[in-house]
Amino acid sequence: MKALAARRHHRFAPVVLLLLALLVTGGVYAAFAPTPANAETASTEDIETGQKLFQANCATCHGPNAEGTATAPSLVGVGAASVDFQVSTGRMPMQMDGPQAIQKPRQFDEEQTAQLAAYVASLGAGPAIPTDEQVDAELGDAANGAALFRTNCAMCHNAIGAGGALSEGKFAPPLWETSERNIYQAMLTGPQSMPVFNDATMTPEEKRDIITFLVDQREGSAGGLSLGSLGPVSEGLWAWIVGMGLLIGAAVWIGAKSS
Amino acid sequence: MTTSTGTAAPKKSAAPTTPAGKAADYLDQRTGIGVAVKEFARKVFPDHWSFLLGEIALYSFVVLILTGIFLTMFFVPSMSLVTYHGEPASMDGVLMSDAFASTLHMSFEVRGGLLMRQIHHWAALIFMAAIVTHMMRVFFTGAFRKPREVNWLVGMLLMIMGLAAGFSGYSLPDDVLSGNGLRITDGVVKSIPLIGSYMSYFIFGGEFPGEHIIPRLFTVHILLVPGLILALVALHLFFVVLHKHTQYPGGGRTDTNVVGYPLFPVYVAKAGGFFFVVFGILALMGGTMAINNVWNYGPYDPSPVSAGAQPDWYMLFLEGSLRLMPGQTEFVIGGYTLSLNVLIPAVVVPGLLFTFLFVYPFLEAAVTKDKREHHVLDRPRNVPVRTGLGVAFLTAFIILALAGSNDLIATHFSMSINTITWVFRILIFVGPWFAFWITKRICLGLQRKDRELVLHGHETGRIVRFAHGEYIEVHRPLDEQERWLRVNYQAHEPLAIEPATDSRGVRRKGYKKDKRLQRLSRFFYEDRIEPVTPDELAAAHSHGEHDALEGGSHEQIEAGAATVGGRRDLVEPEKGADERP
């Protein structure tokens, strides 16, 4: 200790410290950085079938080698998670040009979706499909999820995920019907207008907390019919329709000429 | 009980024998209450469902007080921070204010607490809705005319106090939504030139949100505003008794009588029963429909704003007004910011709307120069411009409220929010004008229809053919009640003013003011349909008889018609032949 203390005013001390700091930062980063996961154990056969599916269904817009065209983005490096999200929710293949791709009945089954995902993942490293454990709502913390949801998601998706409007006809969809895996993938890949919440900005545990919070909301409201959980506007509408409707009905009944 | 009091009231009659009678007599001898009871029990009120709208407001206010007292027992009006433990899972272990924690506690731990909260909130929405519908009834039927102008003002103040009560209550739980509302309030206050920032510091006791606003709003919400509402309600009802109730036009109803039933027993039973109906419906809503689930929004923190953050419906017009205003109208003048983008939509627009409501009765009195007392209501069609202005006002209010819900319209009808906003920006200028024009035309059309009906009677669908081949439809004249309703109104004319100069050619003082008033009066009463006069009616009938008497055989036909349903009227042969095959 004494030797260190004696040399702390050495003129090279700042340089040494800087080097040390850089080394530590770099080392910590290397240890904790999100590893760009590859499609796990996808067989070459899957990739080849996926390629055929891709060329038959997706290449018109995304280009024969998924390199992108003027109308659709390149898919090199988007990862298996993105493909799984877009295809399993029916958003891709898109049937119609519009403000945003609309959710519809899925066109490919589980296996075909996996093959497509494997093909796209083979083109370049990207986020992988999350594991069952990563999206298990039982393991998360609803209170932390609620806090994260309030600060990161509620401005578009409404306070408890009832959905909301974006500009020019785009919208943030309601989240109660969305599967846990799709919620995770959406956060991971940021489809369409949604920002990307990669593992550095939001850890996998935090993503799971949000899923727990959202799954909780499926149970409905403690106060009775949730009226869509859309806030004061729908409450006002129901006050007029149900409340004033019944009350004016009663008034007409009472005010009717008594004989 | 009340019956016994009635019998006990004549003091010198036989002493009461029943226990209730004795008790009433005891009370009467000491308070003289029998006189008041007798007076009130015989008070006559007219019968109509629309006269119960104000009662809905009154009864929801009673429900608000009852549930409010319950909530006060558990609410902690404090902004000091605590860590909450308990239901729901999404709020467990979260740092929040005492106000929010106590709201959660009363919703999840206190027996019946959530029910009381929900009844309270639904009652607040219904309270305002009933006030607004009651105001519509009063406006469109002209019940604000002399001698009731002052009571209209009292009602206006009651509505504004209702808004204040709603606003202060909405802000109390200290959740994100109510905090967002307060933040907008803060912005609106700050937009007022010169004094804005000082006012904001004064209201919040420092920089927003500070630590004082919840306790202050609590005092406003549970003491100041309800006290004022109670006092104003008392005044409002006192005026109703003093002026006597208005009545709809009809046979036998004049400005000097009231046709209806006595308060006791008919209205005591009806109104008393109606209170329980109102309470029952509010309890049903509170028990089955979730409202303002604050745990969805979480404890207030200035950073998050969720989609679908809106005020309760009665404030929605302000939100819409803000949403419609383009943001480029903010100017910096000499280092000071003039926020017209907030000032105009949140201060000027509501100011204009409320001013219109405040001055309207006096405006109409001025352009009508009508000093008579009015106790018989107008049919809305007989005052086309007033009805048109009322509908235009409502149109503006509804457009603003819809603009405040533009995001929900966009998601629920798959439309672009930008397009919706632009459509409303145009509609807010065009819509009210258009609504006024259409309504006025409809009113005039209905008045013409009334004239037609009075002059020619009801179509009966009976076609009669004369011997020479001419067809006519038999019209049945209106009975006296029907006719009275349609002819007994006054069609005001534009003001006639004295000339600009007197006989000696000297300019008259006040001529310009009169001229302006006349121009306004012309806007009100230029287009008008006069009611049918007795002479016109007689002429129309003789015209019919003249037709009928034209040929010899006509007399028999008319006589035949008369035997079926009393007096028959034969009119407009050519038309009748065209109309019905």
Side-chain angles (χ1 to χ4, degrees), chain A residues 49-86:
Chain A
T49 327
Q51 187 173 17
K52 281 185 190 128
L53 280 169
F54 185 89
Q55 278 160 351
N57 295 285
C58 321
T60 324
C61 302
H62 287 289
N65 297 311
E67 74 277 24
T69 61
T71 50
S74 160
L75 299 183
V76 178
V78 299
S82 187
V83 177
D84 190 54
F85 175 84
Q86 300 282 359

Side-chain angles (χ1 to χ4, degrees), chain A residues 150 154 168 221 223 225 232 235 254, chain B residues 118 270 288 290 292-293 307 418:
Chain A
R150 273 199 296 284
E168 306 287 1
S221 168
L225 302 169
E235 288 160 5
I254 289 173
Chain B
Q118 297 200 148
K270 281 193 178 190
T288 55
N292 195 22
N293 288 162
N418 309 51

